[in-house]
Amino acid sequence: MSLSLKLLFLLVFVACMIIMGSNLRKKKKKIIFLGDSITELGVRPGGYVTVVSDFVRDADASEKVELVGSGISGNKVTDIERRLAQDVLLREPQVVVLFVGVNDIWHKQKHGTGTSLDLFVQCFESIVQKMHNANIKVVACTPAVIGENGMENKEEWDELEAYGKGIKDVSAHYDIPVVDLHAAFKNYYEINNTGHLDEGVLTTDGVHLNAAGNRLVAEEIWKVLKHFI
Protein backbone atom coordinates (compact mmCIF):
# COMPACT_ATOMS: atom_id res chain seq x y z
CA MET A 1 0.00 0.00 0.00
CA SER A 2 1.39 3.36 -1.00
CA LEU A 3 2.17 6.04 1.56
CA SER A 4 -0.47 8.36 0.10
CA LEU A 5 -3.13 5.66 0.37
CA LYS A 6 -2.15 4.93 3.97
CA LEU A 7 -2.36 8.62 4.72
CA LEU A 8 -5.81 8.79 3.13
CA PHE A 9 -7.06 5.88 5.27
CA LEU A 10 -5.62 7.54 8.36
CA LEU A 11 -7.37 10.81 7.60
CA VAL A 12 -10.69 9.02 7.02
CA PHE A 13 -10.27 7.14 10.30
CA VAL A 14 -9.51 10.32 12.23
CA ALA A 15 -12.51 12.09 10.64
CA CYS A 16 -14.81 9.21 11.61
CA MET A 17 -13.55 9.30 15.18
CA ILE A 18 -14.14 13.04 15.38
CA ILE A 19 -17.69 12.66 14.04
CA MET A 20 -18.43 9.80 16.44
CA GLY A 21 -17.07 11.80 19.36
CA SER A 22 -19.13 14.80 18.35
CA ASN A 23 -22.30 12.70 18.15
CA LEU A 24 -21.64 11.23 21.58
CA ARG A 25 -21.16 14.68 23.04
CA LYS A 26 -24.38 15.91 21.45
CA LYS A 27 -26.52 13.02 22.74
CA LYS A 28 -28.82 14.46 25.37
CA LYS A 29 -30.25 12.87 28.48
CA LYS A 30 -33.93 12.29 27.74
CA ILE A 31 -36.42 13.03 30.53
CA ILE A 32 -40.07 12.10 29.94
CA PHE A 33 -42.91 13.65 31.93
CA LEU A 34 -45.59 10.96 32.05
CA GLY A 35 -49.11 11.76 33.15
CA ASP A 36 -52.60 13.03 32.40
CA SER A 37 -54.10 16.37 31.30
CA ILE A 38 -52.09 18.26 33.93
CA THR A 39 -48.94 17.09 32.15
CA GLU A 40 -50.50 17.54 28.70
CA LEU A 41 -51.12 21.18 29.59
CA GLY A 42 -47.73 21.34 31.29
CA VAL A 43 -45.86 21.64 27.99
CA ARG A 44 -47.69 24.84 27.05
CA PRO A 45 -46.24 28.29 27.79
CA GLY A 46 -46.26 28.70 31.56
CA GLY A 47 -46.93 25.00 32.12
CA TYR A 48 -44.94 23.12 34.72
CA VAL A 49 -42.85 21.21 32.17
CA THR A 50 -42.02 24.47 30.43
CA VAL A 51 -41.03 26.05 33.76
CA VAL A 52 -38.77 23.07 34.49
CA SER A 53 -37.22 23.67 31.05
CA ASP A 54 -36.49 27.24 32.18
CA PHE A 55 -34.76 25.86 35.27
CA VAL A 56 -32.68 23.55 33.05
CA ARG A 57 -31.66 26.53 30.94
CA ASP A 58 -30.79 28.60 34.00
CA ALA A 59 -28.59 25.72 35.17
CA ASP A 60 -26.73 25.84 31.81
CA ALA A 61 -27.85 22.27 31.12
CA SER A 62 -29.93 22.77 27.97
CA GLU A 63 -27.26 21.14 25.80
CA LYS A 64 -27.29 18.05 28.01
CA VAL A 65 -31.01 17.49 28.59
CA GLU A 66 -34.07 16.89 26.41
CA LEU A 67 -37.46 17.25 28.11
CA VAL A 68 -40.39 15.35 26.58
CA GLY A 69 -44.03 15.72 27.60
CA SER A 70 -46.19 12.59 27.49
CA GLY A 71 -49.47 13.62 29.08
CA ILE A 72 -52.89 12.54 27.81
CA SER A 73 -56.11 14.05 29.09
CA GLY A 74 -58.23 11.69 31.16
CA ASN A 75 -55.47 9.17 31.71
CA LYS A 76 -55.62 6.99 34.78
CA VAL A 77 -52.92 4.62 35.99
CA THR A 78 -54.38 1.80 33.88
CA ASP A 79 -54.12 3.93 30.73
CA ILE A 80 -50.51 4.78 31.48
CA GLU A 81 -49.67 1.14 32.06
CA ARG A 82 -51.18 0.25 28.66
CA ARG A 83 -49.18 2.88 26.78
CA LEU A 84 -45.94 2.52 28.72
CA ALA A 85 -44.15 0.39 26.12
CA GLN A 86 -45.00 2.64 23.17
CA ASP A 87 -44.71 6.03 24.84
CA VAL A 88 -41.83 5.39 27.23
CA LEU A 89 -39.84 2.15 26.91
CA LEU A 90 -39.37 2.37 23.13
CA ARG A 91 -38.16 5.96 23.46
CA GLU A 92 -35.38 4.88 25.85
CA PRO A 93 -35.37 7.79 28.31
CA GLN A 94 -32.88 7.99 31.12
CA VAL A 95 -35.40 9.54 33.54
CA VAL A 96 -39.22 9.53 33.83
CA VAL A 97 -41.24 11.88 36.03
CA LEU A 98 -44.41 9.92 36.82
CA PHE A 99 -47.35 12.15 37.82
CA VAL A 100 -50.63 10.20 38.00
CA GLY A 101 -53.55 9.62 40.34
CA VAL A 102 -55.90 12.59 40.14
CA ASN A 103 -58.24 11.00 37.59
CA ASP A 104 -58.18 7.67 39.42
CA ILE A 105 -59.75 9.45 42.40
CA TRP A 106 -61.64 12.30 40.72
CA HIS A 107 -63.38 10.12 38.13
CA LYS A 108 -64.37 7.67 40.84
CA GLN A 109 -66.03 10.45 42.82
CA LYS A 110 -67.46 12.26 39.80
CA HIS A 111 -68.36 9.52 37.30
CA GLY A 112 -67.88 6.21 39.09
CA THR A 113 -65.17 5.30 36.58
CA GLY A 114 -62.04 5.75 38.69
CA THR A 115 -59.62 3.18 40.06
CA SER A 116 -59.78 1.37 43.38
CA LEU A 117 -56.83 1.91 45.69
CA ASP A 118 -55.72 -1.73 45.42
CA LEU A 119 -55.76 -1.69 41.63
CA PHE A 120 -54.04 1.70 41.56
CA VAL A 121 -51.15 0.47 43.70
CA GLN A 122 -50.90 -2.75 41.66
CA CYS A 123 -50.70 -0.87 38.34
CA PHE A 124 -48.40 1.80 39.74
CA GLU A 125 -45.97 -0.87 40.93
CA SER A 126 -46.14 -2.63 37.55
CA ILE A 127 -45.22 0.64 35.80
CA VAL A 128 -42.35 1.33 38.16
CA GLN A 129 -41.05 -2.24 37.94
CA LYS A 130 -41.02 -2.18 34.12
CA MET A 131 -39.06 1.06 34.11
CA HIS A 132 -36.75 -0.27 36.82
CA ASN A 133 -36.07 -3.35 34.67
CA ALA A 134 -35.24 -1.04 31.74
CA ASN A 135 -32.73 0.89 33.90
CA ILE A 136 -34.84 4.03 33.77
CA LYS A 137 -34.62 6.37 36.74
CA VAL A 138 -38.04 7.30 38.09
CA VAL A 139 -39.22 10.37 39.98
CA ALA A 140 -42.70 9.73 41.43
CA CYS A 141 -45.18 12.49 42.25
CA THR A 142 -48.22 12.28 44.50
CA PRO A 143 -51.48 13.64 43.03
CA ALA A 144 -51.75 17.24 44.16
CA VAL A 145 -55.32 18.32 44.76
CA ILE A 146 -59.01 17.84 44.02
CA GLY A 147 -60.72 20.99 45.23
CA GLU A 148 -58.64 23.61 46.99
CA ASN A 149 -60.72 23.74 50.16
CA GLY A 150 -59.82 20.73 52.24
CA MET A 151 -62.85 21.08 54.48
CA GLU A 152 -65.35 21.03 51.62
CA ASN A 153 -63.45 18.26 49.83
CA LYS A 154 -62.50 16.09 52.78
CA GLU A 155 -63.43 12.81 51.07
CA GLU A 156 -61.28 13.63 48.05
CA TRP A 157 -58.38 14.83 50.19
CA ASP A 158 -58.54 11.67 52.31
CA GLU A 159 -58.31 9.65 49.10
CA LEU A 160 -55.38 11.77 47.92
CA GLU A 161 -53.59 10.91 51.17
CA ALA A 162 -54.33 7.20 50.76
CA TYR A 163 -53.26 7.00 47.12
CA GLY A 164 -50.22 9.13 47.91
CA LYS A 165 -49.25 6.66 50.62
CA GLY A 166 -49.53 3.86 48.07
CA ILE A 167 -47.15 5.76 45.78
CA LYS A 168 -44.73 6.33 48.65
CA ASP A 169 -44.79 2.66 49.69
CA VAL A 170 -44.03 1.42 46.17
CA SER A 171 -41.37 4.08 45.72
CA ALA A 172 -39.68 3.13 48.98
CA HIS A 173 -39.54 -0.51 47.86
CA TYR A 174 -37.76 0.49 44.64
CA ASP A 175 -35.71 3.24 46.30
CA ILE A 176 -37.00 6.02 44.06
CA PRO A 177 -37.59 9.63 45.16
CA VAL A 178 -41.07 11.02 45.71
CA VAL A 179 -42.20 14.59 45.12
CA ASP A 180 -45.06 14.98 47.59
CA LEU A 181 -47.13 17.53 45.71
CA HIS A 182 -50.21 17.06 47.90
CA ALA A 183 -48.19 18.02 50.98
CA ALA A 184 -46.70 21.01 49.13
CA PHE A 185 -50.17 22.21 48.13
CA LYS A 186 -51.52 21.80 51.66
CA ASN A 187 -48.62 23.82 53.06
CA TYR A 188 -49.22 26.54 50.48
CA TYR A 189 -52.93 26.73 51.30
CA GLU A 190 -52.29 27.16 55.01
CA ILE A 191 -50.66 30.50 54.22
CA ASN A 192 -52.29 31.56 50.96
CA ASN A 193 -55.87 30.27 51.11
CA THR A 194 -57.15 31.77 54.34
CA GLY A 195 -60.39 32.58 52.51
CA HIS A 196 -60.96 28.84 51.94
CA LEU A 197 -61.51 29.24 48.21
CA ASP A 198 -62.19 26.05 46.28
CA GLU A 199 -60.43 27.16 43.10
CA GLY A 200 -58.37 30.02 41.74
CA VAL A 201 -55.47 29.76 44.21
CA LEU A 202 -53.27 27.14 42.53
CA THR A 203 -55.83 25.79 40.05
CA THR A 204 -58.35 27.03 37.52
CA ASP A 205 -61.05 24.53 38.46
CA GLY A 206 -59.91 22.74 41.60
CA VAL A 207 -57.71 20.31 39.64
CA HIS A 208 -55.93 21.85 36.63
CA LEU A 209 -53.09 24.21 37.40
CA ASN A 210 -53.02 27.96 36.98
CA ALA A 211 -49.76 29.91 36.67
CA ALA A 212 -49.02 29.75 40.41
CA GLY A 213 -49.82 26.04 40.53
CA ASN A 214 -47.60 25.26 37.57
CA ARG A 215 -44.81 27.22 39.20
CA LEU A 216 -45.16 25.37 42.50
CA VAL A 217 -45.24 21.94 40.82
CA ALA A 218 -42.17 22.82 38.74
CA GLU A 219 -40.26 24.04 41.78
CA GLU A 220 -41.06 20.92 43.79
CA ILE A 221 -40.10 18.58 40.94
CA TRP A 222 -36.92 20.52 40.23
CA LYS A 223 -35.71 20.04 43.81
CA VAL A 224 -35.41 16.33 43.01
CA LEU A 225 -34.91 16.31 39.24
CA LYS A 226 -31.85 18.56 39.29
CA HIS A 227 -29.86 15.76 40.91
CA PHE A 228 -30.42 13.60 37.82
CA ILE A 229 -29.02 16.19 35.39
Side-chain angles (χ1 to χ4, degrees):
M1 184 182 293
S2 68
L3 180 61
S4 59
L5 193 55
K6 288 181 180 179
L7 181 60
L8 178 60
F9 279 130
L10 178 61
L11 290 173
V12 170
F13 174 77
V14 171
C16 288
M17 293 302 292
I18 291 173
I19 292 171
M20 289 175 62
S22 176
N23 288 338
L24 286 173
R25 287 193 299 272
K26 290 179 180 178
K27 188 174 182 179
K28 294 184 176 183
K29 178 177 290 186
K30 185 181 294 181
I31 300 174
I32 292 180
F33 292 81
L34 182 61
D36 50 35
S37 58
I38 296 171
T39 298
E40 185 176 38
L41 295 170
V43 300
R44 295 183 181 181
Y48 84 88
V49 179
T50 304
V51 177
V52 171
S53 180
D54 293 338
F55 294 156
V56 169
R57 183 198 62 222
D58 293 343
D60 294 324
S62 297
E63 296 300 316
K64 300 187 296 181
V65 177
E66 176 189 5
L67 303 185
V68 179
S70 185
I72 295 180
S73 180
N75 262 197
K76 297 185 281 290
V77 71
T78 49
D79 302 304
I80 286 177
E81 185 180 25
R82 279 193 291 269
R83 67 183 179 91
L84 185 71
Q86 183 68 36
D87 290 356
V88 176
L89 302 181
L90 289 178
R91 300 169 86 170
E92 299 183 335
Q94 284 69 51
V95 183
V96 169
V97 178
L98 178 56
F99 184 8
V100 64
V102 165
N103 290 327
D104 298 272
I105 301 167
W106 193 27
H107 288 190
K108 181 168 60 174
Q109 304 286 353
K110 192 174 182 180
H111 307 296
T113 59
T115 312
S116 70
L117 177 57
D118 288 343
L119 179 58
F120 178 86
V121 172
Q122 177 185 327
C123 292
F124 189 87
E125 181 164 16
S126 174
I127 293 166
V128 169
Q129 184 177 48
K130 288 172 183 175
M131 291 195 284
H132 178 79
N133 292 342
N135 294 316
I136 298 170
K137 305 291 186 182
V138 180
V139 175
C141 301
T142 63
V145 74
I146 300 173
E148 300 198 69
N149 183 333
M151 293 181 291
E152 289 186 9
N153 301 278
K154 184 179 185 306
E155 185 176 357
E156 288 84 356
W157 279 37
D158 286 346
E159 293 252 62
L160 288 167
E161 294 280 356
Y163 283 60
K165 183 180 183 304
I167 290 170
K168 292 173 187 176
D169 289 345
V170 171
S171 299
H173 179 74
Y174 288 90
D175 194 27
I176 65 176
V178 176
V179 180
D180 195 346
L181 293 176
H182 183 58
F185 273 52
K186 285 174 64 177
N187 292 337
Y188 186 94
Y189 291 140
E190 286 180 6
I191 301 171
N192 299 285
N193 192 18
T194 54
H196 306 296
L197 301 176
D198 201 35
E199 60 184 45
V201 182
L202 292 172
T203 76
T204 59
D205 57 2
V207 171
H208 298 94
L209 307 176
N210 62 17
N214 276 296
R215 184 78 186 183
L216 179 59
V217 168
E219 288 173 346
E220 292 299 314
I221 289 175
W222 181 244
K223 289 176 184 178
V224 174
L225 190 61
K226 64 185 179 182
H227 299 295
F228 291 88
I229 294 174

